[in-house]
Amino acid sequence: MTAISMHEDSPPPRSILLVTGLSGAGKSSILRILEDLGHEVIDNPPLGMLDEIVARAEKPVAIGVDSRTRGFDATLVLAALSRLRINPHLHAQLIYATAEESVLLRRYTATRRRHPQASHGTVKEGIEAEIRLTSPLRAAADVVIDTTDLPPPELRQLVEARFGQWEDGRGEGLTVALMSFAFPAGLPREADMVFDARFLRNPYYDPSLSALTGLDPQVAAYVQADPDYSGFLDRIDGLLELVLPRFVQEGKKYATIAIGCSGGRHRSVTLVEALAQRLGAEPQQGVSGDGQGESVSPASSPRGQWPVVVMHRELARQGRSSWRWANRPGGGQQPSDDSPAS
């Protein structure tokens, strides 16, 4: 007789997200996005009510906690988080929103709002006080989201990719984000691995291709014709096949793989799209990733195992809708490019 484990049919742990951070860094925007993703959102409840709120909730919960919260104390927040984390039926995470001090100052100056820690001082003094007050939370955060250079559409992309769920429940493990970017615009702060595609020939210098992007077949064909393109793509693919399962073993829930070039519009976009096609494909026994008939074991290949989201940073900054799920069943809801600013 075959023994059946009682754990096989048990529901996955319920997501509990504590969202905190610096005032003006986008905490409210993050909570709105999480609400769109199906979380019950409660902003700034008294700290003493956190356990009761979680106990009564019947679906994923996102709770906003910051220096405005009645009885706020970073030590008490961390103690509550510890209690939630030891509950095997919950998956509790701490999200910390931040931005550079100069950016926070500019945002407060533009809105003319009073900083919660500056009732008897300047906005700058309030920001500095809040940084000190919340520093233990930043140190303990599972996810730190820096919105310094992050437009609202990109913020939505990050939150959706990290905390959105697959409709068939497979969103409990690793989510892989593939991002194209331009080196002159800065490295993506959230990148776990970065690859440089600037050695490939550049379509920018072809007048017929300069205004196009790697999403256009003419540009993709031009980049793919470089004699080193296939070898470069194969090596990235092979490295990810080694590394991604190890990320899962370490308990990582999100991995960002970034590929950069000079402008972030041609070579990097082409490579990200090609890599997404490989990683998003379901593995087939007896068929290799290049279709040459070599055997690939589904158990050892990362293909199709995890959600893969594609993001093109520079295209997003130009106002283009530039992200998609590569293999999310049911087609995840795409964020609009006119999302409200935080």
Side-chain angles (χ1 to χ4, degrees):
M1 182 172 63
T2 303
I4 299 177
S5 171
M6 294 298 292
H7 297 289
E8 291 181 359
D9 296 326
S10 61
R14 184 156 48 90
S15 173
I16 306 296
L17 302 176
L18 298 186
V19 184
T20 188
L22 302 179
S23 301
K27 181 178 70 71
S28 297
S29 294
I30 293 171
L31 288 172
R32 285 196 296 270
I33 298 167
L34 291 171
E35 187 171 27
D36 291 342
L37 293 174
H39 287 71
E40 180 180 350
V41 171
I42 303 167
D43 196 11
N44 282 314
L47 286 180
M49 294 183 61
L50 290 183
D51 295 281
E52 181 180 354
I53 290 171
V54 171
R56 292 187 176 187
E58 297 180 353
K59 64 178 185 177
V61 180
I63 303 173
V65 178
D66 60 28
S67 62
R68 297 172 299 150
T69 301
R70 186 188 309 171
F72 177 82
D73 184 301
T75 302
L76 296 179
V77 175
L78 293 177
L81 181 64
S82 296
R83 291 194 300 272
L84 296 175
R85 282 176 169 166
I86 63 176
N87 187 332
H89 302 293
L90 303 177
H91 180 213
Q93 298 181 81
L94 179 64
I95 304 171
Y96 187 94
T98 186
E100 292 180 0
E101 185 176 328
S102 60
V103 173
L104 295 174
L105 185 60
R106 185 172 67 246
R107 290 174 183 173
Y108 265 94
T109 301
T111 61
R112 298 183 179 181
R113 293 168 50 202
R114 181 184 296 275
H115 192 281
Q117 295 298 314
S119 57
H120 301 292
T122 66
V123 172
K124 186 176 187 299
E125 291 171 338
I127 293 171
E128 293 171 348
E130 191 172 43
I131 290 174
R132 293 191 299 270
L133 192 63
T134 63
S135 60
L137 299 180
R138 173 164 184 160
D142 298 283
V143 178
V144 175
I145 299 179
D146 190 327
T147 65
T148 298
D149 299 313
L150 204 62
E154 289 188 40
L155 175 60
R156 179 171 284 273
Q157 291 170 15
L158 288 177
V159 176
E160 165 105 9
R162 288 176 185 259
F163 302 107
Q165 296 295 313
W166 285 42
E167 293 179 3
D168 64 357
R170 282 193 286 163
E172 297 298 327
L174 181 71
T175 295
V176 180
L178 303 177
M179 177 185 292
S180 66
F181 73 97
F183 275 98
L187 291 175
R189 298 171 186 268
E190 65 273 25
D192 295 287
M193 302 175 71
V194 177
F195 297 93
D196 189 343
R198 287 176 292 185
F199 69 94
L200 297 174
R201 61 178 188 163
N202 193 350
Y204 175 81
Y205 296 107
D206 186 324
S208 66
L209 302 177
S210 179
L212 303 179
T213 75
L215 299 176
D216 295 299
Q218 307 96 303
V219 171
Y222 182 97
V223 175
Q224 292 165 2
D226 188 294
D228 290 320
Y229 169 85
S230 294
F232 185 49
L233 179 62
D234 289 342
R235 284 167 173 79
I236 297 175
D237 190 13
L239 182 59
L240 295 182
E241 191 159 339
L242 170 68
V243 170
L244 293 182
R246 295 299 298 268
F247 281 175
V248 174
Q249 291 178 20
E250 293 177 359
K252 283 180 70 69
K253 297 297 183 182
Y254 191 87
T256 299
I257 314 302
I259 302 178
C261 61
S262 299
R265 300 177 62 250
H266 298 110
R267 293 166 290 183
S268 59
V269 172
T270 298
L271 281 160
V272 162
E273 290 291 327
L275 192 59
Q277 187 174 17
R278 293 191 180 195
L279 291 181
E282 294 288 348
Q284 299 181 24
Q285 188 69 31
V287 180
S288 70
D290 57 8
Q292 298 301 311
E294 298 177 5
S295 177
V296 174
S297 169
S300 63
S301 171
R303 304 182 194 283
Q305 290 189 29
W306 307 298
V308 176
V309 62
V310 174
M311 298 183 284
H312 299 302
R313 189 182 74 177
E314 311 314 331
L315 299 188
R317 290 177 174 177
Q318 294 171 6
R320 296 189 54 167
S321 179
S322 57
W323 84 282
R324 63 182 175 82
W325 290 100
N327 64 339
R328 189 182 190 188
Q333 182 181 4
Q334 305 282 34
S336 64
D337 286 334
D338 56 354
S339 306
S342 60

